Structures are given as structure tokens and as C-alpha cells.
Amino acid sequence: MVGDQRKIDNPRFVLLDLLRLFAALMVLGFHWLFRGHAIGMQITDYPNVAWIAAYGYIGVDWFFMISGFVIAWTAQGRSASAFAIMRFARLYPGFLAIMTITFLMTLSYDWPLQSPDWKDWLANTSMVAPLFGRPFMDGAYWSIVVELVFYGWVFLGLATGLWVHRVTIAFLWLALSVANMTWLKSDVVRFLFITDFAPWFIIGMMMHDIWKRGVRLEVLVILVTAFLASCLTLAFQVPTLAREVGVAPDMLLLFSLNLLGLLLIAAAINIQSVHAGLARWSMYAGTVSYPLYLFHQHAGYMLIDRFAPLFGAGIAFAVALIAVFCIAVSTALLIEKPLRPLIIQKLLGFINRVQIGLRWSNALHIK
């Protein structure tokens, strides 16, 4: 059809993929146009747009809301082992490829602000390099650790059968997060229960419950309370941000962007059909957003500062954007796409063989 005007149902929530890409671009803008220069990691400055780019970090919180919904959706009907395999296949191949490219790029650029060695690379293959006393290869990786902790709790819920009580779990998690933020102030609780980011995950989880089972009063109350808690969390983060970059964001604008993310995600979930062409492009957007997010920060700093003295700040930004998109697309299409189904197939097959072996062992023992 001319223009491909057909409409299709929205089984994958394809508009969420577009939001993922938009959120990644918000974070990219925050780093390249504001934070990089503000903290001395990027020489090139963009003073005309820095004021609005300073709010781009809210894109990470949009990611967490989307993740809360998507993980609740993908976990339903799956065993703990199947869930873990699906998450590993989704995250690890792209991460390993992008981390290695960043490592090699940093070595070749001879960046004075970070000089990794092979021990740093090896520690980063774990995705949790600071646990081994080594820095992340790129500062953006901290949020992947937050996601991994969230996945770990979902895995535990599936393994124990407690995931069916996820609304109750969300309520208790939210109460603990607010208590730790305002009263307990325990670093252990903060890390184990990712209390700084729990409100956004909980918002996504409650959105999934409403989408699946309809509006229920207790779920709606938890969602609204989680949103208010997320605003409180943003307010608590402002002094730290101000110390780091020297600028305190406008709270009203920050809360408005937080609400905008919630509304856009809710709309993306509930739109029932989209044009086939838009659905196709949104799948590409969702595929590329993860490697783009992983690769953009340090690579962008290096590329912009390399090309800005030669061509100006604007062209340097465009060159860096094209370069990181090319790497992200190549990683998504040449590494993630072919490896993901292969990894899932091999790991599921291994789990099945182990389970069959255990059943035979038990049967023989009984006899």
C-alpha cells in the first residue's frame, strides 16, 4: 500500500519503543549539552541550550517507569529461569560489545580523564565493575546495575511464587523506600532495595496491573502515592545535583516533566492500534535505544571535543550523534539480533536437560 497506511494491533506496545528512544536522547542531550562541560569531562560548551538540556536526566526515570511495566508484562506466565534467560539475552551481548568498543575507543583516543586497562575491561564484563574495585567503563552503566537489582527481586518473586502478590509487594517496597529516604537513611537498604528509584518502577508495575485487570482502588492509590514519592525523591536529589553541576533545576518544571513521562507512557500503553509503518520504525527505535544509551556518554565527550576545534560545536555534535547511532544500530542488528534467539535457545535447552536429569535422579533414588 502507498505510504503503508494499514493499522495493526499493538501487541508489543510499540509506542513504548519510541518513548525509550526519546528518553535515551533526553539523557544524551543532558550529558553532551550540559553535564559534560559542567563537571569538566567535556571542553566544548553549549550555553544556548544547556538550560533546557539540564533537565534531560529525567529520561532515566522514564526508563525505570517503562521498565516497571515491561518487566511486569514479560514476567507473567514465565518461570524464574526463563525470565532470567530472557533478561540475560536482552542485556548482555549488547553490553559486552558496547563496553568493549568504548574501551578500545578510549585507549586509541588517549583520553586524560579515563585511562582504562585490561583489568578494567575484565571487571566490566561482569556489568558490576565497582564490586571488583574498578570504575565503570562508561558512567551510564550505573543505571544498568539498578535494573539488575530490580530483575533480581522479580526473579526471586517468581522463584518463590510471591510474584502473584506483586501489588502487596509494591506497597511494602514503596513504604520502605519513603521510610529510608526520610527517616532510616540506610545505605544498605538504599542499595538492596534501590529505594532512590523504586517509585518509578512501582508506577510502571501498577500501570501494568491496571492494563491487565482494570482500575482497582488500591492499585490506583499505590500508583498516585508512588508518583508523589517520585516527586519527593526528585526534590531530595536537587541538592546533590546542584553541588555536582552548580545549577539547581526549577522544581515545577522537573515535576511537570515527571508527570509528562507518566502520561506519555500511559498513552503508549493504551493506544490500541498504530500505523504499520510507525510500528515498524518503532521496533527499530526500541532495538537501538539500549546500545545508544550505553555508548553515548564518554564516546560523545571524546568525539565532540575532537571535532569541535576543527568544525565548530554544532557540527561536532552532529558528527558525534551520527557516529554513536551507527555504532548502536550496528550493535543491535549485527550482534544483539542474531545472538539473542541463539542464547535463549541454548540456555533454555541446558535448563531443560538439567531438569530432566534431576527428575531421573530423583526417580532412581526413590526406587
Side-chain angles (χ1 to χ4, degrees):
M1 273 182 89
V2 177
D4 201 2
Q5 295 299 307
R6 294 169 298 157
K7 287 192 175 182
I8 63 171
D9 291 336
N10 194 12
R12 288 191 68 255
F13 304 98
V14 292
L15 296 182
L16 285 181
D17 290 332
L18 290 177
L19 280 179
R20 275 199 189 101
L21 180 59
F22 185 67
L25 291 173
M26 288 173 65
V27 179
L28 180 149
F30 170 70
H31 287 134
W32 293 6
L33 302 176
F34 173 68
R35 184 177 182 271
H37 180 76
I39 65 173
M41 295 193 75
Q42 179 179 296
I43 299 171
T44 309
D45 192 14
Y46 295 90
N48 294 331
V49 293
W51 71 273
I52 188 62
Y55 294 89
Y57 72 94
I58 197 74
V60 177
D61 300 319
W62 289 19
F63 273 128
F64 292 153
M65 277 193 280
I66 294 172
S67 182
F69 176 88
V70 170
I71 295 305
W73 175 49
T74 56
Q76 62 183 15
R78 282 203 171 99
S79 66
S81 57
F83 171 78
I85 289 169
M86 295 290 286
R87 289 294 90 200
F88 176 81
R90 174 69 180 92
L91 294 185
Y92 194 73
F95 173 85
L96 184 60
I98 289 295
M99 186 274 291
T100 302
I101 293 169
T102 302
F103 170 61
L104 295 175
M105 182 178 177
T106 307
L107 287 182
S108 63
Y109 185 79
D110 192 23
W111 195 27
L113 297 177
Q114 185 166 327
S115 302
D117 57 27
W118 286 100
K119 292 181 180 178
D120 293 314
W121 177 85
L122 186 61
N124 272 270
T125 60
S126 69
M127 302 183 80
V128 288
L131 291 182
F132 299 93
R134 295 284 172 167
F136 287 126
M137 196 64 65
D138 188 290
Y141 297 173
W142 70 266
S143 61
I144 305 302
V145 175
V146 172
E147 291 277 359
L148 290 175
V149 175
F150 177 53
Y151 298 164
W153 285 112
V154 174
F155 172 85
L156 187 61
L158 291 170
T160 59
L162 293 175
W163 185 245
V164 296
H165 305 294
R166 54 191 170 274
V167 173
T168 301
I169 291 172
F171 170 76
L172 296 173
W173 186 18
L174 181 59
L176 177 63
S177 300
V178 173
N180 197 59
M181 182 169 40
T182 59
W183 172 50
L184 295 174
K185 301 185 186 301
S186 166
D187 288 336
V188 174
V189 172
R190 184 185 182 201
F191 174 77
L192 288 179
F193 297 95
I194 48 174
T195 55
D196 287 358
F197 312 101
W200 287 281
F201 286 115
I202 292 167
I203 289 170
M205 290 169 61
M206 295 305 97
M207 284 184 172
H208 174 264
D209 193 89
I210 291 172
W211 170 79
K212 184 175 176 61
R213 299 198 282 181
V215 178
R216 295 184 295 155
L217 180 59
E218 63 270 26
V219 173
L220 188 60
V221 168
I222 294 174
L223 190 153
V224 171
T225 305
F227 174 75
L228 295 175
S230 71
C231 291
L232 181 63
T233 304
L234 289 172
F236 272 97
Q237 292 170 351
V238 164
T240 301
L241 182 67
R243 286 194 301 269
E244 183 183 65
V245 300
V247 178
D250 179 82
M251 294 305 302
L252 180 60
L253 181 53
L254 197 58
F255 293 159
S256 298
L257 289 170
N258 194 32
L259 178 60
L260 177 63
L262 186 155
L263 295 176
L264 288 175
I265 293 167
I269 293 168
N270 287 286
I271 291 176
Q272 297 300 312
S273 62
V274 295
H275 287 285
L278 180 61
R280 183 168 58 250
W281 282 107
S282 68
M283 279 199 304
Y284 289 125
T287 300
V288 103
S289 59
Y290 174 60
L292 175 68
Y293 176 81
L294 289 177
F295 186 59
H296 80 274
Q297 188 177 174
H298 288 184
Y301 294 157
M302 289 184 276
L303 289 168
I304 288 172
D305 281 345
R306 173 63 61 87
F307 289 101
L310 301 175
F311 305 110
I315 292 179
F317 181 92
V319 169
L321 188 63
I322 292 170
V324 298
F325 255 100
C326 287
I327 293 295
V329 170
S330 299
T331 301
L333 297 183
L334 301 179
I335 296 175
E336 289 186 342
K337 187 175 180 179
L339 285 183
R340 191 183 307 163
L342 181 62
I343 291 172
I344 292 172
Q345 179 186 9
K346 295 297 183 182
L347 290 179
L348 284 176
F350 173 76
I351 294 294
N352 287 335
R353 288 193 296 272
V354 169
Q355 291 174 341
I356 292 171
L358 289 174
R359 284 198 293 268
W360 272 102
S361 176
N362 290 335
L364 292 172
H365 179 72
I366 291 171
K367 290 180 181 180

